[in-house]
Amino acid sequence: MGTDLAYRGRLGQLLPAAVAVDTQGQPTRDPALARLGALLPFGGYKGFGLAFIVQALGVLAGSALDPDKDDGYFFVVFKPDLLIGLADFKEQVSELIDRIKSTPRQPGVDEIRIPGERAFRSRERALRDGLEIDRAVFDALTALQA
């Protein structure tokens, strides 16, 4: 969401309601105020716990608490076949995905997506159809090449 804050700020777009607070703890839709304040966790206390751990791991990658230095990348890499046979791992993950996708959906929910699935589809679509970018982004990129 940090990247989304900067992107929305550059385009003059507001954040969705109830996702951020300013430095005084007041709800805000302004990306600049949210960047100085805080993003609210999704998923209640479990979402907060997950967000906290991810932020703590981000500190290892150079992400600091200073909003101007809040960019870092942390990768966790492991070799699954050290823990379980690779064929078993692939089979069980496939079964897990099938179980998740077969969960009854709420009204208005067309599909349950697995993390990364939307990005994969977007990439395939962009490779096939090309990209549409916002005029402000295009103008900024054009100015950089001059």
Side-chain angles (χ1 to χ4, degrees):
M1 185 69 154
T3 303
D4 192 46
L5 289 176
Y7 179 75
R8 285 178 183 256
R10 280 192 303 274
L11 297 180
Q13 296 176 349
L14 296 176
L15 298 173
V19 300
V21 294
D22 63 17
T23 57
Q24 305 302 310
Q26 297 301 310
T28 184
R29 296 187 62 204
D30 182 330
L33 295 176
R35 189 163 169 79
L36 297 173
L39 293 173
L40 299 174
F42 298 92
Y45 69 91
K46 290 181 181 180
F48 170 75
L50 180 60
F52 177 81
I53 292 300
V54 169
Q55 183 70 36
L57 291 173
V59 172
L60 294 173
S63 176
L65 296 179
D66 180 346
D68 293 328
K69 299 176 185 172
D70 202 26
D71 295 319
Y73 299 92
F74 181 77
F75 296 91
V76 176
V77 180
F78 64 97
K79 190 174 178 191
D81 61 348
L82 291 175
L83 305 171
I84 184 174
L86 191 56
D88 288 341
F89 175 74
K90 288 180 178 182
E91 180 181 335
Q92 290 185 37
V93 169
S94 292
E95 288 175 14
L96 174 62
I97 291 170
D98 290 344
R99 184 185 308 170
I100 291 168
K101 287 186 164 281
S102 68
T103 302
R105 295 181 297 276
Q106 296 290 316
V109 176
D110 296 327
E111 176 186 23
I112 297 171
R113 290 190 309 254
I114 301 302
E117 192 170 3
R118 183 178 71 173
F120 178 76
R121 288 180 187 165
S122 294
R123 182 178 190 276
E124 290 297 314
R125 187 174 53 252
L127 288 170
R128 184 183 64 242
D129 302 335
L131 292 174
E132 271 188 44
I133 61 172
D134 187 87
R135 173 52 75 179
V137 173
F138 178 81
D139 291 345
L141 291 172
T142 302
L144 286 174
Q145 85 181 59

